[in-house]
Amino acid sequence: GNGGNVRLVYGTFWKETLNTHLRHCEEGNPDEAIYPSGLLRRQRSPQPPRNDRELKNMHKKSYGQHFLRDESVVENIVDAAAIQPGELVIEVGPGGGALTKRLAEVENDLILIEADRDLIEGLRQTYPRATIVHADAAQVDFDALTQGKRWVFVSNLPYNAGNAILEAVFHAKNVPSRLVVMVQKEVGERMMAAAGEMSVLSVATQIFCAVKRVCTVKPGAFVPPPKVDSVVLEMIPHTEINTNAEEIIGLAKIGFA
């Protein structure tokens, strides 16, 4: 499968990023997992979206949380995910639930991964048939979660952990059919960079998948607003990974040093 090659590509490159991320997850015992019985199919009356004051009070800087509130951005993400019948949907960082609410309207099995212990009970009450995993997503075994099923990965990635979480996803032998993620605009532009403007990050990303912009997101779309713009990316993994991936990344590291 592609998992071994992907590990070669991403393992060393994001090791330092992962170690940094782990220091942000010391509170809340994030390795604990909670699995309510059954999987989510449709929620007829989920809790209404939280107001800005509630979202601001929920915010924890240590988790890099910026809760999405803009419905138009949510629709763009869901449209880009293009969830097909029978596909498993995994969302990392449901937070205030703006995106989760829309994902729950799709009649597909849904897994929510959340590191913040204080948000778990609310997610369990709002989405009682969902599979809720209380964990640091950078440490999750996505093969164990997906069990060979076709799946889609969706996330408003925390700014201080996005690379480490993507690295964990790319380690999976059963890679997702699509990823739709939100990252800092600067990071996203580096991932999408064309020849002549590429960096190690863009080489490492594009050797694994095709990347394109879905939309740019201004700080006002979040509570609390971040200091920089964000971008939503659609990532489609390649069917086959270049067998010389390790050498290519190694050369890129030397060339961009």
Side-chain angles (χ1 to χ4, degrees), residues 183-191 201 228-231:
V183 297
Q184 291 183 50
K185 184 179 179 182
E186 180 182 359
V187 173
E189 289 178 342
R190 286 167 55 202
M191 295 171 75
L201 179 58
V228 297
D229 289 352
S230 302
V231 63

Side-chain angles (χ1 to χ4, degrees), residues 14 21 76-84 87-94 99 103 108-114 135-143 145-146 149-158 161-172 174-183 191 208-209 214 232-237:
W14 273 327
H21 167 55
N76 284 333
I77 293 173
V78 174
D79 288 347
I83 301 167
Q84 302 299 307
E87 285 186 321
L88 172 65
V89 181
I90 295 182
E91 181 190 4
V92 164
L99 177 57
L103 294 175
N108 290 61
D109 293 340
L110 177 65
I111 296 176
L112 307 175
I113 303 175
E114 176 58 60
D136 169 10
Q139 296 293 296
V140 166
D141 182 344
F142 286 95
D143 285 320
L145 277 185
T146 60
K149 298 177 182 177
R150 184 176 172 87
W151 64 294
V152 178
F153 179 87
V154 182
S155 181
N156 169 24
L157 290 168
N163 286 353
I165 293 170
L166 286 176
E167 193 266 344
V169 173
F170 296 154
H171 264 68
N174 177 31
V175 296
S177 58
R178 288 176 306 289
L179 300 87
V180 181
V181 300
M182 181 136 46
V183 297
M191 295 171 75
F208 172 71
C209 59
V214 175
V232 176
L233 302 178
E234 176 189 301
M235 308 171 73
I236 308 295

